[in-house]
Amino acid sequence: MALLIGVPTETAPAEKRVATVPDVVEKLRKLGFSVAVQSGAGDASNFADDAYRAAGADIVETASDIWARSDIVFKVRAPSPDEVALLRQGGTLIGFIWPAQNPELMKQLAAKMATVLAIDSLPRQLSRAQKMDALTSMAGVSGYRAVIEAANAFGRYFNGQITAAGKIPPAKVFIAGAGVAGLAAIGTAAGLGAIVRANDTRAEVADQVVSLGGEFVKVDYEEEGSGGGGYAKVMSEGFQAAQRAMYAQQAKECDIVITTALIPGKPAPRLITAEMVKSMKPGSVIVDMAAEQGGNCELTEPGQSVVKHGVTIIGYTDLASRLAKQSSTLYSNNLLRLTEELCKTKDGVIDVNMEDDAIRGLTVIKEGAITWPPPPPKLPAAAPAKPAAASVVAPSAKKGHGHGASEPMSARSLLTVFGAGALAFALVGLYAPASFLAHFTVFVLACFIGYMVVWNVTPSLHTPLMSVTNAISSIIAIGALVQVAPPLAGGAGADRPSQLILGLAVVALVLTAVNMFGGFAVTRRMLAMFRK
């Protein structure tokens, strides 16, 4: 029998998102499920009840009916105690739960004999889990919105302006943490024309910061900060002291500070102290994206925007919800991909397979039994080392089959080859005409010099292939010019080439010019694609 998926209205204050959208309802029904949506659940996200009806969902008037009827409940925020009381015995709940921060909620859900899949507990190190990664989806939206909120509170241009009334310098933005949210903020702030600086404990994100138009500010302390699963780890006290000194300097210099630092299962680390806030220029802005977990700034008030010491400190906990339509669409797609993994038979029945690493990581309660925290995902077995190629040697005793391709030339064979080459050069020197010998010498020298020139070209502005072809074209062009030069120079003593050689030289010049200048034109267009 096909199961019913219920989507209630979110009851958390200021929450505008909805757990599924009309386009996803159609796809859930193709998997065999029935879908019921509480009336008005999508209004704040601009998804009307009629759109859900057109997609095939039933519209239910009250929350109690949704919770009582649904076999599976899709939620965005963790349920309140009142909502837990409405959950049917043995039902399934999918949404953000934050089990480390909500032990009491876990006990209440376990008492309902529920199966709970916490979308925030997805093992993000699994590549196949990326399509279900709602944390990444929401972080990208939040990072973008954080810059928009900062721009609104800042009160002047992000980009520099030169007008008849005077010159306005660009805003300086510092972003603490270059995860998904931080990178989204970097790209947005750089796109608005600000000077963007960023820092992260994970050194490997430096290239990503630079590629988005930011400058990576390094802490003067060597320590690796990757904690696995896409998160940072808690750093040593020595690193934290050096980091605080760097943050204090950036706070003095920058107009806007955006903090994104979070460590799973722990309160947000304090990065910006009250003293740093006091040192900031009047009118500066701090956007604390970690406000929901306590905040990275000492003076943050979660859910509020306050002004302290002349600095606006924004601690909104609903940044993703402020772009409700976009974030609801992304989140519902994440839940759809999860549902596809749970219902591979497309018969409207889910199978919570605890042997699947991704599903096991998500499942924090299974039929009333708390299964969080999960064991670490099983790593794939290391590939067996390939046997060395040198260990396979063709037997040399076999006659008539010749030497294998990898068999080195013997000393006798090498001597024979060099002897034959020396004899050939001796014959050329003894019997060839003097004019041929002069041209032959030039040819040998040209081959050697050409080889050294072509293979030592540094591909600074081109791909290596284009650099080599341009070098070859340059050698051809020089040779053609040597042939064309005598007729152009004139003079009775000029050694004029035949008309055929002259014609070939002119054709060679034209073709190499097209190749060289065309290569530069193509390179310029390729580089322009990466400029703002």
Side-chain angles (χ1 to χ4, degrees), residues 121-126 227-229 354-363 371-380:
S121 297
L122 180 76
R124 303 169 79 186
Q125 61 267 45
L126 300 177
M354 300 296 271
E355 297 300 317
D356 184 317
D357 279 344
I359 302 302
R360 175 64 187 87
L362 285 166
T363 307
T371 59
W372 187 89
K378 296 186 289 288
L379 297 176

Side-chain angles (χ1 to χ4, degrees), residues 100-184:
Q101 289 88 347
N102 295 305
E104 192 59 37
L105 172 63
M106 294 284 285
K107 293 178 183 177
Q108 293 170 4
L109 290 168
K112 281 281 190 174
M113 301 304 293
T115 296
V116 180
L117 281 76
I119 200 71
D120 48 90
S121 297
L122 180 76
R124 303 169 79 186
Q125 61 267 45
L126 300 177
S127 58
R128 57 180 286 266
Q130 292 177 3
K131 61 185 178 182
M132 302 178 273
D133 190 357
L135 281 174
T136 294
S137 300
M138 297 302 100
V141 176
S142 297
Y144 172 86
R145 184 69 191 195
V147 176
I148 302 303
E149 295 292 342
N152 180 59
F154 185 46
R156 69 174 175 86
Y157 294 127
F158 260 46
N159 62 331
Q161 297 282 329
I162 299 177
T163 68
K167 180 180 178 181
I168 301 173
K172 293 180 180 178
V173 180
F174 176 70
I175 297 170
V180 176
L183 292 173

Side-chain angles (χ1 to χ4, degrees), residues 485-496:
L488 295 178
D495 186 13
R496 295 174 178 272

Side-chain angles (χ1 to χ4, degrees), residues 77 98 262 268 288-295 300 302-303 315-318:
R77 294 274 186 170
W98 304 108
L262 281 173
D288 192 341
M289 294 185 64
E292 191 168 6
Q293 306 301 328
T300 296
Y316 296 148
T317 58
D318 61 341

Side-chain angles (χ1 to χ4, degrees), residues 465-482:
L465 177 62
M466 192 174 292
S467 296
V468 170
T469 56
N470 276 350
I472 294 172
S473 297
S474 302
I475 294 172
I476 295 172
I478 292 171
L481 286 172
V482 169

Side-chain angles (χ1 to χ4, degrees), residues 16-160:
K16 298 178 181 178
R17 289 173 291 178
V18 63
T20 199
V21 301
D23 286 345
V24 171
V25 167
E26 296 179 0
K27 296 171 183 176
L28 290 171
R29 294 184 73 243
K30 289 179 181 178
L31 290 174
F33 296 97
S34 300
V35 181
V37 180
Q38 184 179 346
S39 180
D43 287 351
S45 302
N46 296 316
F47 296 110
D49 288 351
D50 289 342
Y52 285 106
R53 285 194 186 95
D58 294 330
I59 301 300
V60 178
E61 290 300 323
T62 64
S64 58
D65 286 344
I66 280 283
W67 286 92
R69 289 174 49 187
S70 302
D71 301 294
I72 306 167
V73 175
F74 280 3
K75 279 274 293 165
V76 179
R77 294 274 186 170
S80 66
D82 291 339
E83 289 175 317
V84 174
L86 295 174
L87 179 65
R88 66 187 294 178
Q89 197 78 6
T92 298
L93 175 65
I94 302 176
F96 284 103
I97 303 297
W98 304 108
Q101 289 88 347
N102 295 305
E104 192 59 37
L105 172 63
M106 294 284 285
K107 293 178 183 177
Q108 293 170 4
L109 290 168
K112 281 281 190 174
M113 301 304 293
T115 296
V116 180
L117 281 76
I119 200 71
D120 48 90
S121 297
L122 180 76
R124 303 169 79 186
Q125 61 267 45
L126 300 177
S127 58
R128 57 180 286 266
Q130 292 177 3
K131 61 185 178 182
M132 302 178 273
D133 190 357
L135 281 174
T136 294
S137 300
M138 297 302 100
V141 176
S142 297
Y144 172 86
R145 184 69 191 195
V147 176
I148 302 303
E149 295 292 342
N152 180 59
F154 185 46
R156 69 174 175 86
Y157 294 127
F158 260 46
N159 62 331

